[in-house]
């Protein structure tokens, strides 16, 4: 018997291993196995199929170990992995690596130890100080990784020191299997007597009678466990709960264990247990919401997918809640996808009131142990559960999926860029739902042009919700010409006169304001005013951004950082100045402009910790913050009732990006961030600061006219044959040598033109042409919408294989971005 095994490697195939005789009754599709790959390395693989066809031409290794008694991955998941690998032109191993939490992928780690057969006395007098330190360390610690040796010895390039020791036989290198997952375990306490044995209880009471603290501990246990109420189930008691209730110390409880009163045991517990008092029914819907809900259910009768186009603040979440409730009551599971972790933070509290412990939250800010717990909960349960999460949630092991909701479906955040698989979670969720026979509801105030086209053409159901909840009005949008403001000296720093007045008025009325700038850091540009020197990343083709809180210049692509120089390194003058505004600088200037206001900031720098989103949002929701400054995170569906003013401080960077989707992205982001204002009774005001107030996109935003924007955009796409009237695959080639990158891209583009002709555009350097020391070239393949993408992808794979021996291709990394966002 043989197994095809998926390994977490970027290789375009599965690998065949033989199944040992003693495993044959236990292995199955979806189970994890430990296999040797190469001469030393061990990986955790997933069995994708089992067969009896022996491979020809090479010796097959045996599976080293079976890690599961039952599958860790369900069959529908494997089908989804196959679809992702095929559609997005990546390897099954890359999908597997992205899909499984790290804790479910034990791997081998290289460890170093002393050779027990080597006589160390032979080395006397011939060792350097570093070599002697290594041997002394290994003698005391037995086995250590190379990294641990480097940290302890505090010597870089420790491998160069280990090689001579290895060649002489002094040390050995082996592989140690590293298991990363650890379940949460709590210490429990129980009475060491059968329930109902009152004689034993009386004897215990006599023993503790001489100690008030022990007596309190025993009485507290009886109360917490309900031991005396024999008609009710016995409740388990944690040691910590007993300590808190009785005031006993661990030493007292240990003494009571020795007296035969208590016994201790350990139990694996749920990391996500939360007490919810009484669950509430979903809130009543308005007539407009009821109508929209009925239209959604009607659309689901003959279509798998429906689009809910509801203006900002129309109450789409309330409709989602009713649909979730219906699906859970029918015994099926729901996936609720959102584009940003900050949205899971705000939605969790709203949904927990209705669904209690049936709500699970899943995203990348959770620890790996927490994500494994959620995975296992879904894997071992067919219970009706609601999963709220960001894009990685599509990989979870659903058993009985009935509904998928993709909120803010237009968001580019649903697209994974690096590393592979470069999937779009929205499109993957639609495929996931179809594989489970579930329905998909897409929701947005500004649907993606491709999505709205499919809905208007009848492929998806289309439901429109054109009024805000409880009659709230859409905000008034004003554009301010910053060239005119500066010419007339009306602006106060970054604030135009209209925006400054609007924020000031809101604060006086005890309302709140959002300030939007899609650049983090303090200042995006640093320049020497004397000689024009500007710091650039040594690894990437970008300028360094100044971050004041750390007084560093940083690259936002690779993380390279240097201190801000006191004098110009080129000319020696002290005229190094910063230019432009990031969120950090805007927050600082907002403090100065409104000294009485409490200002907070939400961007990547302030939300790195797991609970950062929660803290920032809770502070703003409870009015501990008056003005919130942030990046695009602010535009994604956040709901704050007292925000009456939204200021957009840098609209020009959105409007002037060289990409066919730039108008769509700009309209969506501006309309969405505008939609954060005036979501209750009081009408909101939005001030957009720009140097191009006559831009057509801004006119549509001012009128909240999605239909007008869509008609203009779809005509342009039709004329230029861009999606949805074509399909795009961007082909990227990267190489450490810029000339090899250019030559390899030219070779590939010529080969592509021989097959696809004028459908091939490029090669050219991307907007950022060097990232992390890799030089990039891009080729665009624009295919007719009716063409067979399966055939196109087969041609691409065949063409790559025919060129693979050429040194320009062989030395390069080539990857594909299908349906770029």
């Amino acid at each position: 018997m043989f197994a095809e095994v998926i390994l977490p490697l970027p290789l375009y195939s599965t690998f065949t291993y033989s199944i040992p005789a003693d495993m044959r009754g236990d292995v199955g599709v979806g189970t994890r196995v430990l296999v040797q790959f190469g001469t030393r390395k061990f990986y955790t693989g997933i069995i994708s199929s089992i067969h009896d066809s022996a491979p020809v031409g090479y010796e097959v290794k045996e599976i080293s170990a079976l890690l599961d008694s039952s599958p860790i991955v369900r069959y529908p998941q494997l089908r989804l992995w196959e679809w992702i690998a095929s559609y997005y032109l990546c390897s099954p191993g890359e999908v597997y690596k992205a899909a499984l939490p790290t804790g479910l992928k034990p791997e081998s780690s290289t460890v170093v130890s002393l050779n027990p057969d080597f006589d160390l006395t032979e080395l006397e007098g011939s060792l350097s100080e570093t070599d002697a330190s290594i041997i002394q360390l290994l003698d005391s610690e037995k086995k250590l990784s190379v990294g641990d040796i480097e940290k302890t010895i505090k010597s870089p390039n420790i491998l160069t020191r280990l090689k001579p020791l290895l060649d002489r036989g002094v040390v050995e290198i082996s592989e140690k299997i590293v298991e990363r997952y650890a379940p949460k375990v709590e210490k429990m306490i129980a009475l060491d007597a059968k329930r109902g044995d009152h004689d034993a209880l009386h004897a215990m009471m006599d023993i503790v009678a001489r100690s008030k603290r022990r007596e309190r501990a025993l009485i507290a246990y009886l109360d917490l466990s309900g031991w005396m109420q024999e008609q009710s189930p016995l409740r388990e008691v944690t040691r910590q709960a007993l300590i808190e209730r009785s005031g006993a110390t661990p030493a007292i409880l240990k003494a009571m264990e020795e007296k035969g009163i208590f016994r201790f045991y350990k139990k694996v517990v749920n990391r996500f247990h939360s007490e919810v008092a009484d669950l509430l029914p979903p809130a009543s819907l308005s007539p407009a919401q009821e109508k929209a809900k009925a239209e959604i259910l009607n659309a689901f009768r003959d279509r798998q997918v429906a689009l809910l186009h509801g203006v900002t603040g129309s109450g789409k979440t309330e409709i989602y809640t009713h649909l979730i409730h219906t699906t859970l009551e029918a015994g099926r599971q729901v996936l609720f996808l959102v584009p940003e972790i900050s949205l899971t933070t705000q939605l969790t509290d709203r949904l927990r009131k209705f669904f209690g412990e049936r709500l699970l939250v899943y995203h990348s800010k959770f620890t790996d142990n927490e994500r494994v717990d959620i995975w296992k909960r879904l894997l071992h349960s067919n219970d009706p559960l609601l999963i709220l999460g960001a894009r990685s949630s599509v990989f979870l092991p659903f058993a009985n999926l009935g509904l998928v909701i993709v909120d803010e479906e237009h968001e580019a955040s649903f697209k994974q860029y690096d590393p592979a698989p470069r999937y779009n979670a929205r499109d993957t969720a639609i495929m996931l739902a179809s594989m489970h026979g579930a329905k998909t509801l897409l929701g947005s105030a500004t649907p993606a042009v491709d999505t709205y086209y499919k809905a208007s053409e009848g492929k998806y159901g289309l439901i429109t919700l054109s009024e805000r909840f409880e009659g709230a009005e859409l905000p008034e949008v004003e554009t301010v010409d910053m060239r005119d403001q500066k010419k007339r000296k009306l602006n106060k720093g970054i604030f135009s006169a209209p925006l400054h007045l609007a924020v000031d008025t809101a604060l006086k009325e005890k309302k709140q304001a959002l300030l939007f700038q899609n650049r983090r850091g303090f200042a995006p540009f640093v320049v020497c005013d004397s000689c024009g020197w500007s710091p650039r990343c040594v690894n990437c083709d970008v300028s360094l951004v100044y971050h004041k809180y750390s007084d560093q210049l940083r690259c936002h692509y690779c993380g390279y950082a240097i201190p801000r120089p006191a004098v110009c390194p080129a000319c020696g003058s002290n005229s190094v100045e910063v230019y432009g505004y990031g969120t950090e600088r805007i927050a600082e200037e907002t403090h100065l402009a409104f000294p009485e206001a409490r200002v907070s900031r939400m961007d990547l720098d302030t939300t790195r910790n797991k609970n950062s989103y929660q803290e920032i949002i809770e502070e703003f929701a409870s009015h501990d913050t008056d003005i919130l400054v942030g990046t695009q995170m602010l535009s994604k569906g956040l709901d704050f009732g007292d925000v009456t003013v939204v200021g957009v401080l840098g609209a020009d960077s959105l409007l002037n990006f060289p990409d066919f989707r730039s108008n769509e992205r700009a309209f969506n982001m501006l309309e969405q961030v505008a939609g954060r204002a005036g979501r209750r009774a009081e009408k909101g005001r939005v001030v957009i600061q720009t140097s191009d107030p006559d831009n057509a996109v801004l006119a549509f935003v001012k009128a909240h006219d999605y239909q007008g924007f869509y008609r203009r955009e779809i005509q342009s796409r039709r004329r230029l044959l861009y999606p949805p009237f074509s399909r795009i695959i961007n082909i990227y080639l990267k190489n450490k040598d810029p000339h090899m990158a250019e030559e390899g891209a030219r070779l590939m583009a010529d080969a592509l033109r021989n097959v696809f002709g004028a459908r091939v555009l490029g090669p050219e350097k991307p907007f950022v042409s060097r990232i992390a020391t890799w030089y990039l070239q891009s080729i665009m393949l624009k295919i007719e919408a009716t063409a067979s993408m399966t055939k196109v992808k087969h041609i691409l794979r065949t063409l790559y294989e025919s060129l693979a021996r050429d040194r320009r291709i062989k030395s390069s990394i080539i990857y594909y971005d299908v349906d770029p966002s």
Side-chain angles (χ1 to χ4, degrees), residues 583-600:
T583 49
E584 187 184 4
R585 187 175 191 179
I586 290 169
E588 184 177 287
E589 295 216 3
T590 303
H591 275 293
L592 296 174
F594 305 99
E596 302 301 318
R598 295 160 296 183
V599 181
S600 188

Side-chain angles (χ1 to χ4, degrees), residues 306-312 314 316 320 406-412 414 426 441-456 460-465 661 663-669 671-672 704-711 713-714 717 724:
L307 169 65
L308 174 59
H309 177 206
V311 298
T312 56
S314 57
K316 293 186 290 293
Y320 299 155
V406 185
D407 195 23
E408 311 296 346
E409 66 82 27
H410 65 278
E411 274 292 345
F414 281 125
R426 175 198 61 203
L441 178 62
L442 310 176
S444 177
T446 55
V449 168
D450 306 47
T451 301
Y452 198 81
Y453 178 78
K454 290 174 184 175
S456 60
Y460 298 166
L462 177 59
I463 299 91
T464 301
L465 195 57
R661 293 192 194 272
N663 282 346
E664 179 183 2
R665 274 197 291 263
F667 176 84
N668 288 352
M669 196 168 289
E671 181 65 17
Q672 288 285 343
H704 302 291
D705 183 10
Y706 175 81
Q707 296 289 346
F709 168 78
Y710 170 77
R711 286 192 295 270
E713 189 67 15
I714 205 71
R717 301 272 186 98

Side-chain angles (χ1 to χ4, degrees), residues 352-607:
R352 186 80 70 194
K353 293 183 292 186
F354 306 123
F355 305 112
E357 290 196 358
R358 291 193 290 181
L359 170 65
L360 301 178
V361 183
Y362 189 85
H363 54 67
S364 59
K365 291 291 184 185
F366 281 170
T367 66
D368 203 63
N369 282 334
E370 290 170 332
R371 287 196 281 170
V372 172
D373 279 353
I374 292 173
W375 185 284
K376 290 189 170 185
R377 170 86 185 273
L378 273 168
L379 185 70
H380 299 128
S381 169
N382 291 338
D383 295 343
L385 298 169
L386 165 61
I387 311 302
L388 172 65
R391 62 176 178 245
S392 59
S393 305
V394 297
F395 293 119
L396 286 166
F398 297 98
N400 189 19
L401 194 60
L403 176 66
V404 173
I405 297 169
V406 185
D407 195 23
E408 311 296 346
E409 66 82 27
H410 65 278
E411 274 292 345
S413 302
F414 281 125
K415 175 74 172 180
Q416 163 75 12
Y417 288 100
D418 276 311
R422 295 171 178 84
Y423 67 101
N424 187 307
R426 175 198 61 203
D427 300 337
T428 303
I430 292 172
M431 179 57 64
L432 170 71
S434 71
M435 288 179 172
H436 283 267
K439 303 295 184 181
T440 303
L441 178 62
L442 310 176
S444 177
T446 55
V449 168
D450 306 47
T451 301
Y452 198 81
Y453 178 78
K454 290 174 184 175
S456 60
E457 291 293 304
K459 183 176 180 181
Y460 298 166
L462 177 59
I463 299 91
T464 301
L465 195 57
S466 57
E467 62 182 58
R468 279 189 152 186
F469 187 64
E470 293 185 341
E473 293 183 71
L474 287 167
E476 177 187 339
V477 180
E478 174 186 357
T479 55
V480 178
D481 187 345
M482 292 304 289
R483 293 172 302 178
D484 180 64
Q485 288 280 305
K486 290 171 183 174
K487 184 178 178 182
R488 296 163 57 192
K489 297 183 179 179
L490 296 173
N491 60 301
K492 298 181 180 179
I494 58 170
F495 291 96
S496 63
L499 179 55
H500 189 280
L501 177 62
V503 173
D504 190 50
T505 302
L507 295 175
K508 287 175 180 175
E509 295 173 351
K510 306 299 183 185
K511 299 297 182 181
Q512 295 170 294
L514 296 178
L515 298 178
F516 170 73
Q517 166 70 307
N518 207 26
R519 277 181 173 166
R520 63 187 175 96
F522 187 83
F525 305 109
V526 178
V527 180
C528 173
D529 285 345
S530 296
C531 72
W533 170 84
S534 181
R536 299 185 69 80
C537 178
V538 298
N539 304 314
C540 310
D541 187 21
V542 293
S543 299
L544 297 178
V545 177
Y546 178 54
H547 288 253
K548 188 175 182 180
Y549 78 95
S550 59
D551 199 30
Q552 285 185 326
L553 303 173
R554 284 189 184 173
C555 174
H556 286 178
Y557 283 84
C558 72
Y560 171 78
I562 57 173
R564 181 189 176 188
V567 296
C568 175
C571 70
S573 71
N574 63 349
S575 53
V576 177
E577 300 294 339
V578 298
Y579 293 94
Y581 291 87
T583 49
E584 187 184 4
R585 187 175 191 179
I586 290 169
E588 184 177 287
E589 295 216 3
T590 303
H591 275 293
L592 296 174
F594 305 99
E596 302 301 318
R598 295 160 296 183
V599 181
S600 188
R601 179 162 57 98
M602 186 162 74
D603 56 28
L604 189 62
D605 295 324
T606 61
T607 56

Side-chain angles (χ1 to χ4, degrees), residues 27-42:
V27 297
V29 172
T31 52
R32 293 178 304 163
V33 288
L34 196 67
V35 294
Q36 184 179 356
F37 189 78
T39 56
R40 293 180 180 273
K41 205 72 176 168
F42 286 83

Side-chain angles (χ1 to χ4, degrees), residues 180-195:
R180 296 180 177 88
Y181 171 67
K184 183 178 180 181
V185 176
E186 278 197 3
K187 292 180 179 178
M188 313 298 288
I189 197 162
L191 200 64
D192 200 10
K194 284 186 178 181
R195 193 180 192 185

